[in-house]
Amino acid sequence: MSRYTKADLERIVSMQYENLNAIHDLLSIMKHQNELLNNANKKLKDEINGVKRKMYSGKIVKS
């Protein structure tokens, strides 16, 4: 069984704390990216629905 000094344990805890902060930062970034993707998907869905409405109403406008 290994014996750790107080300094060893403090380094381990400090490293774990840094890792948790890094994970928190990554999760925040992923949350933001997810929000951006959701917004893009909503805009795309709205655009597709607009095109479908134009097609079904017989008012297709060429650009």
Side-chain angles (χ1 to χ4, degrees):
M1 182 173 152
S2 298
R3 292 246 176 215
Y4 294 99
T5 65
K6 182 179 178 183
D8 292 335
L9 294 174
E10 287 173 347
R11 276 193 299 274
I12 291 168
V13 169
S14 176
M15 191 176 298
Q16 288 176 330
Y17 183 73
E18 288 176 24
N19 288 337
L20 284 173
N21 281 331
I23 290 170
H24 176 266
D25 292 344
L26 290 172
L27 286 172
S28 295
I29 290 168
M30 289 172 67
K31 180 179 178 184
H32 180 67
Q33 288 175 336
N34 192 46
E35 290 170 357
L36 292 173
L37 285 170
N38 283 333
N39 290 340
N41 284 337
K42 184 183 181 316
K43 287 179 184 178
L44 182 58
K45 181 179 176 183
D46 292 345
E47 193 174 317
I48 289 170
N49 286 336
V51 169
K52 284 181 180 179
R53 278 192 294 274
K54 286 180 184 177
M55 285 176 58
Y56 291 126
S57 67
K59 298 178 182 177
I60 299 175
V61 178
K62 290 190 175 184
S63 313

